[in-house]
Amino acid sequence: MTQSPVGPDGSEEQVALSHDGEGDRSMGTEDDRRAALMASLPVADESTPLAAQLAEDARRRIDLHGRRFPRPVTTRIITVANQKGGVGKTTTTVNLAAGLAMAGLNVLVIDNDPQGNASTALGVEHRAGTPSVYEVLVDGDPLASAVQQCPDIPTLWCVPATIDLSGAEIELVSLVSRETRLRRALDEYLAQRERDGLEPIDYVLVDCPPSLGLLTVNAFVVGREVLIPIQCEYYALEGLSQLLKTIELIKAHLNPGLHVSTILLTMYDGRTNLAQQVASEVREHFPEQTLRTTVPRSVRISEAPSHGQTVMTYDPGSTGALAYLEAARELTQRAENRSDEGTNEDRQRNADLRPPQDPPASAHTGSTSHHDHEFAGTIGGPGLRQEEQR
């Protein structure tokens, strides 16, 4: 097969790449050729930021073009949450999902936000009356009845949100097992696919509203991991303390296996001291959870939803699309490195919920909790730190 990565000058470079690693022996393996192309790129330092960005984009194009990401051992269910609005939750959800699906994985997005922005970006129908997550939560309909296929990416599916979901917060209050309704529906859907002989879903991403109400609680209960997008500004940090407290409460009473597995820095502008300071602060307190990749501010990312697309299909060669694709690959590589641990965690999470006093079995979760409290103390001041220590 012939692939055409884009060179540093914007032109296409024809490079012969083979799936089995054979072919022209003088060129070596596919990875060797990628490495040789990347080594040929001009070196640019911080004194020329535009040239440095162009070189970085060219490197990512060469490195990511045609990649197939590894499948996880079991379905990874990731809740994308941050109660502050405008930090990139929906944008992160749909673009990570698209990146994973375009790399050969089966991905399901659950739009649990009444605004329905994730449904818009994925190009699925979500007018009033469309079967949606509302019917699943309130009426108890099966999840399969609301699943739609994304028109641009065959291996990407979405459970849309309609305007009806805006009233679900009130309607859920009086329902039995109101916090676990989404989890039961998803577990049944995944089990039904297995019984029907369909390919398993590799990743489930749940988009949350910018609040900490019952819709977000349902998303935390259904998820096994939490991905937190953090805008590189102070206000985004200030709200993180409350979010971490909420996750701790969910872990204690409803979902013992829940843990913060991933933090992604969004709207990053390396030219400002504030963005660098926020990134440094987050990486200091969450070194294992924070992805190396940062997502820059990008006009292309903002334009894509107006065309009913993600940036991955709207402009796959743009800086924003390449950043999200690299973040998606980093997400899968972390799962691959923790495959044995992940298997044990999934056995634990699929078992009956344990009493609240039982501590989580994962050592990794305990480490995350320690960092959570320490970071909450730095935001809330000495009083909050003492309260957490008590």
Side-chain angles (χ1 to χ4, degrees), residues 128-209:
T130 303
S132 66
V133 72
Y134 171 83
E135 284 76 17
V136 174
L137 286 172
V138 178
D139 298 336
D141 290 0
L143 196 69
S145 65
V147 173
Q148 297 184 40
Q149 188 176 38
C150 177
D152 298 320
I153 308 173
T155 58
L156 177 58
W157 293 269
C158 176
V159 180
T162 63
I163 191 63
D164 296 333
L165 193 61
S166 58
E169 292 274 5
I170 299 174
E171 296 180 71
L172 282 171
V173 170
S174 60
L175 297 182
V176 177
S177 65
R178 60 193 180 189
E179 299 93 351
T180 61
R181 296 176 75 86
L182 186 58
R183 177 166 184 153
R184 294 175 189 275
L186 178 60
D187 288 347
E188 174 57 30
Y189 173 73
L190 297 177
Q192 185 63 50
R193 284 185 65 95
E194 184 177 355
R195 289 193 296 268
D196 293 344
L198 300 175
E199 285 191 355
I201 297 294
D202 298 305
Y203 284 83
V204 177
L205 276 73
V206 186
D207 188 29
C208 292

Side-chain angles (χ1 to χ4, degrees), residues 147 196 217 291 362 376:
V147 173
D196 293 344
V217 169
L291 297 182
S362 171

Side-chain angles (χ1 to χ4, degrees), residues 6-21:
V6 180
D9 59 352
S11 62
E12 291 188 347
E13 300 181 14
Q14 298 294 329
V15 183
L17 301 177
S18 60
H19 286 298
D20 57 5

Side-chain angles (χ1 to χ4, degrees), residues 68-294:
R68 307 286 286 186
F69 296 165
R71 294 185 183 278
V73 178
T74 56
T75 302
R76 293 183 68 186
I77 305 174
I78 303 174
T79 298
V80 183
N82 192 329
Q83 85 275 11
K84 185 184 183 303
V87 299
K89 290 186 298 297
T90 299
T91 301
T92 295
T93 301
V94 298
N95 286 299
L96 283 181
L100 292 167
M102 292 171 69
L105 301 176
N106 297 317
V107 185
L108 173 67
V109 171
I110 299 178
D111 189 356
N112 206 36
D113 185 350
Q115 298 176 88
N117 295 145
S119 306
T120 300
L122 294 177
V124 300
E125 184 62 61
H126 62 107
R127 289 180 295 181
T130 303
S132 66
V133 72
Y134 171 83
E135 284 76 17
V136 174
L137 286 172
V138 178
D139 298 336
D141 290 0
L143 196 69
S145 65
V147 173
Q148 297 184 40
Q149 188 176 38
C150 177
D152 298 320
I153 308 173
T155 58
L156 177 58
W157 293 269
C158 176
V159 180
T162 63
I163 191 63
D164 296 333
L165 193 61
S166 58
E169 292 274 5
I170 299 174
E171 296 180 71
L172 282 171
V173 170
S174 60
L175 297 182
V176 177
S177 65
R178 60 193 180 189
E179 299 93 351
T180 61
R181 296 176 75 86
L182 186 58
R183 177 166 184 153
R184 294 175 189 275
L186 178 60
D187 288 347
E188 174 57 30
Y189 173 73
L190 297 177
Q192 185 63 50
R193 284 185 65 95
E194 184 177 355
R195 289 193 296 268
D196 293 344
L198 300 175
E199 285 191 355
I201 297 294
D202 298 305
Y203 284 83
V204 177
L205 276 73
V206 186
D207 188 29
C208 292
S211 65
L212 294 176
L214 277 174
L215 291 177
T216 303
V217 169
N218 264 272
F220 281 143
V221 174
V222 75
R224 279 56 164 176
E225 309 173 36
V226 179
L227 187 154
I228 305 177
I230 297 182
Q231 183 182 6
C232 292
E233 294 184 3
Y234 177 75
Y235 286 147
L237 285 180
E238 196 173 41
L240 185 57
S241 174
Q242 181 60 47
L243 177 62
L244 296 174
K245 286 182 178 180
T246 302
I247 293 173
E248 289 293 328
L249 288 173
I250 299 295
K251 286 170 60 177
H253 299 286
L254 295 168
N255 187 3
L258 187 68
H259 65 285
V260 178
S261 67
T262 310
I263 292 176
L264 177 63
L265 298 170
T266 62
M267 305 181 195
Y268 180 79
D269 186 349
R271 298 171 300 177
T272 65
N273 290 332
L274 177 60
Q276 295 179 15
Q277 291 169 0
V278 170
S280 176
E281 183 80 5
V282 172
R283 294 186 191 282
E284 178 184 352
H285 291 90
F286 299 93
E288 297 178 1
Q289 292 79 22
T290 308
L291 297 182
R292 296 186 303 273
T293 306
T294 58

